[in-house]
Amino acid sequence: MSTGPRRAVADPQPPRLWKPVLALALAVLLGLSGYTSWAYWQDTAEVRTGSFTAGQLDLQLDSGQAVGLGTGYTKTSIAADDLLPAETLAYPLTVRNVSGAAATYGATVQRGSTWTYDGSSITFRLFAGSPDTSDTSYPRQQTCSGSPLGAQTFVPASATSVINVPRALAPGGSETLCVLVGLDSASANANQGARGTLTLVLTSTQAVG
Amino acid sequence: MAAALAVAALLLGLVLAPGRTWAQFSDTATVGTGTFTGTLASPAALSCQTEGLGVRIGWATPTNRRFSVRVLQTNGSQVYDTTTTDNSILLTPTLLSAVLGARYTIEVRTTAGTAWQSPQASTRTFGVAALGLWLVC
């Protein structure tokens, strides 16, 4: 047995696998991502809801007055046809939050559409309380129970706040206010026979948080 | 460290005290009032009756008010004025420095506050008799 000269034999190289692996991955990808098409069943389920109606933050006054947004009413019982200097008259006003949300409210007062008094005659003040109208003889000095919500002011030509700190009203809650209207003792004689109406604007805002 | 604390405080503040804003519903309810007015009524028609040497001038209404009283001579000059909360006043010759034959007019107005007076005055005339010693209606 002859032995030839030995040739150096190179170490076997590892097979180049990347091509088949790539092809396999591509196939899997195509298979999964639908390049393969086949029939399939499907279903659609639809849910219909009831309606969503936006709530209203409605501030109502007295017994079902000022119903709805931005409404008002004339409370003719807040009036006097025989008001004289140094007299004050008290009137009740109920504020009701008929919405489902907590709210706060404030108020402004200003002269109404009729006004012939000077600026230093008719006074206004708001209380969280009830009127005491037992004093009916001149000079009538009626009062309000409870605490004043703001300072006494002469009724101004433009809206002026009469509640220093906004009042909180729970959903469905109400509060009795007392409106105190007076004629200043120093009112000038020229105001005799003058006429005036007042406009009280209460604005409620949904409480935050 | 301080910066980290500041950031933490800011974040906490945003969560607790909302820089978050959302719409809030609101409503406005307006109350209009009736009319406030007033005028002072004049005293009711004046009555006159003698009382001693003088005359008592009275009026029935209004009650519980303050009244301004003036006594004028026929030439219009004022000889006496006062205010009272009574519904009558006694005038005497001495009070008016009365002289025989003189005639006087009493004017009574209702007053209120510091400035209001009834637009109309109620008046009554009386005179002086018997040597200026008596007043007569």
Side-chain angles (χ1 to χ4, degrees), chain A residues 108-122 154-160 195-200, chain B residues 33:
Chain A
T108 63
V109 71
Q110 66 187 107
R111 298 170 192 170
S113 55
T114 299
W115 193 267
T116 58
Y117 288 99
D118 64 21
S120 305
S121 289
I122 299 293
F154 287 116
V155 176
S158 57
T160 298
R195 301 169 64 81
T197 58
L198 281 60
T199 300
L200 182 62
Chain B
T33 72

Side-chain angles (χ1 to χ4, degrees), chain A residues 55 57-59 61 69-75 78 80-84 117 138 185 187-189 192-194 196 198 200 202 204 206 208, chain B residues 18 22-41 63-66 111-119:
Chain A
L57 190 69
D58 189 13
L59 197 63
L61 304 173
L69 299 183
T71 53
Y73 89 109
T74 302
K75 184 166 182 170
I78 301 181
D81 60 6
D82 54 356
L83 186 62
L84 298 177
Y117 288 99
Y138 175 84
S185 63
S187 173
N189 192 49
Q192 271 199 80
L198 281 60
L200 182 62
L202 298 103
S204 66
Q206 181 184 344
V208 174
Chain B
W22 57 79
Q24 294 166 265
F25 284 175
S26 65
D27 181 30
T28 298
T30 303
V31 185
T33 72
T35 303
F36 288 89
T37 188
T39 302
L40 276 175
T63 57
N64 196 30
R65 302 291 174 95
R66 199 154 42 88
T111 69
T114 58
W116 280 33
Q117 283 200 338
S118 56

Side-chain angles (χ1 to χ4, degrees), chain A residues 4 8-9 39 70-71 104 107 117 129 132 142-144 155 161 186 197-198 201-202:
Chain A
V9 177
T71 53
T104 61
Y117 288 99
D132 177 354
Q142 297 180 357
T143 58
C144 293
V155 176
S161 176
T197 58
L198 281 60
V201 178
L202 298 103

Side-chain angles (χ1 to χ4, degrees), chain A residues 9-209:
Chain A
V9 177
D11 289 337
Q13 294 292 315
R16 294 180 179 271
L17 294 177
W18 65 271
K19 286 184 179 174
V21 168
L22 181 61
L24 183 59
L26 186 60
V28 168
L29 189 63
L30 288 174
L32 291 180
S33 63
Y35 270 84
T36 305
S37 64
W38 60 78
Y40 58 90
W41 288 355
Q42 67 176 22
D43 180 28
T44 300
E46 183 175 287
V47 179
R48 292 194 180 89
T49 73
S51 64
F52 289 87
T53 303
Q56 286 189 344
L57 190 69
D58 189 13
L59 197 63
Q60 295 187 5
L61 304 173
D62 293 336
S63 298
Q65 300 292 340
V67 178
L69 299 183
T71 53
Y73 89 109
T74 302
K75 184 166 182 170
T76 54
S77 60
I78 301 181
D81 60 6
D82 54 356
L83 186 62
L84 298 177
E87 290 193 307
T88 54
L89 301 176
Y91 307 90
L93 177 68
T94 302
V95 180
R96 197 169 272 112
N97 174 15
V98 299
S99 72
T104 61
Y105 74 94
T108 63
V109 71
Q110 66 187 107
R111 298 170 192 170
S113 55
T114 299
W115 193 267
T116 58
Y117 288 99
D118 64 21
S120 305
S121 289
I122 299 293
T123 61
F124 182 94
R125 198 172 198 185
L126 207 54
F127 289 74
S130 301
D132 177 354
T133 59
S134 57
D135 188 353
T136 56
S137 60
Y138 175 84
R140 293 164 294 181
Q141 301 276 334
Q142 297 180 357
T143 58
C144 293
S145 67
S147 53
L149 302 181
Q152 177 175 288
T153 182
F154 287 116
V155 176
S158 57
T160 298
S161 176
V162 287
I163 294 182
N164 290 341
V165 179
R167 306 287 295 174
L169 272 183
S174 67
E175 182 171 46
T176 300
L177 301 181
C178 178
V179 176
L180 196 64
V181 179
L183 183 54
D184 192 78
S185 63
S187 173
N189 192 49
N191 292 292
Q192 271 199 80
R195 301 169 64 81
T197 58
L198 281 60
T199 300
L200 182 62
V201 178
L202 298 103
T203 301
S204 66
T205 305
Q206 181 184 344
V208 174

